[in-house]
Amino acid sequence: MSTGLIVAIVIAVILVAAIVALVIIGKRAQKKQEEQQVQLEAMKQTVTMLIIDKKRMKLNEAGLPQAVIEQTPKLLRRSKLPILKVRVGSKVMSLICDEKIFDNVPVKKEVKASVSGIYVTEVKGLHGKAPVKEEKKGFFKNLVAKAQEKAGAKMVK
């Protein structure tokens, strides 16, 4: 056998082993995530709250209890999380928001939210409709829109 064929076989075996390992790790992570989701659903409470502010912050800067920071894995402590500063009753606190709903959370509005511990999983508006966010345009779309506005203004004159 030639050395090129042997090298190709070794690389193929390594790739197959890596794919199998990734599939096994992925299945374990999915099971763990499903278990955590069941726990979140079991602990869920509906709370009325006023959302004061929302930001993406590091865990250490968010003002969360020290016990939460200590339980968090060290790699996750440096990453930025979606944090809501809310007032529930007369108490002001910081809560972690679900990434999926963070962009839709209205600021300076009173809402009903599903909260599991310090984790906000769902938000529904209480008073008025939720604000509809405009879709961000890209650089070239903005340029074309400005050019059309200027062309339209010249034609009117």
Side-chain angles (χ1 to χ4, degrees), residues 81-96:
L81 296 174
I83 303 291
L84 299 178
K85 191 166 206 160
V86 299
R87 190 179 85 206
V88 180
S90 62
K91 204 174 189 184
V92 175
M93 59 179 74
S94 295
L95 300 174
I96 300 173

Side-chain angles (χ1 to χ4, degrees), residues 118-135:
I118 61 165
Y119 195 72
V120 179
T121 57
E122 185 180 3
V123 173
K124 295 179 186 170
L126 263 189
H127 304 291
K129 294 184 177 179
V132 178
K133 283 205 167 186
E134 291 184 23
E135 205 172 299

Side-chain angles (χ1 to χ4, degrees), residues 138-157:
F139 177 73
F140 289 108
K141 287 185 180 179
N142 276 338
L143 238 116
V144 169
K146 285 181 185 178
Q148 287 175 347
E149 285 177 16
K150 286 184 180 181
K154 286 182 181 178
M155 289 196 165
V156 172
K157 289 182 182 179

Side-chain angles (χ1 to χ4, degrees), residues 48-109:
T48 302
M49 62 176 66
L50 173 70
I51 298 177
I52 300 169
D53 192 18
K54 68 177 187 177
K55 289 183 183 176
R56 294 186 192 277
M57 323 174 85
K58 291 184 180 177
L59 201 60
N60 299 337
E61 301 166 356
L64 294 170
Q66 191 62 34
V68 173
I69 296 171
E70 289 171 359
Q71 289 178 354
T72 309
K74 291 195 191 263
L75 290 175
L76 193 64
R77 290 182 196 175
R78 292 190 190 124
S79 65
K80 291 190 175 184
L81 296 174
I83 303 291
L84 299 178
K85 191 166 206 160
V86 299
R87 190 179 85 206
V88 180
S90 62
K91 204 174 189 184
V92 175
M93 59 179 74
S94 295
L95 300 174
I96 300 173
C97 183
D98 192 359
E99 192 70 48
K100 297 173 198 165
I101 64 166
F102 183 69
D103 293 330
N104 298 331
V105 174
V107 179
K108 301 204 188 313
K109 298 260 183 182

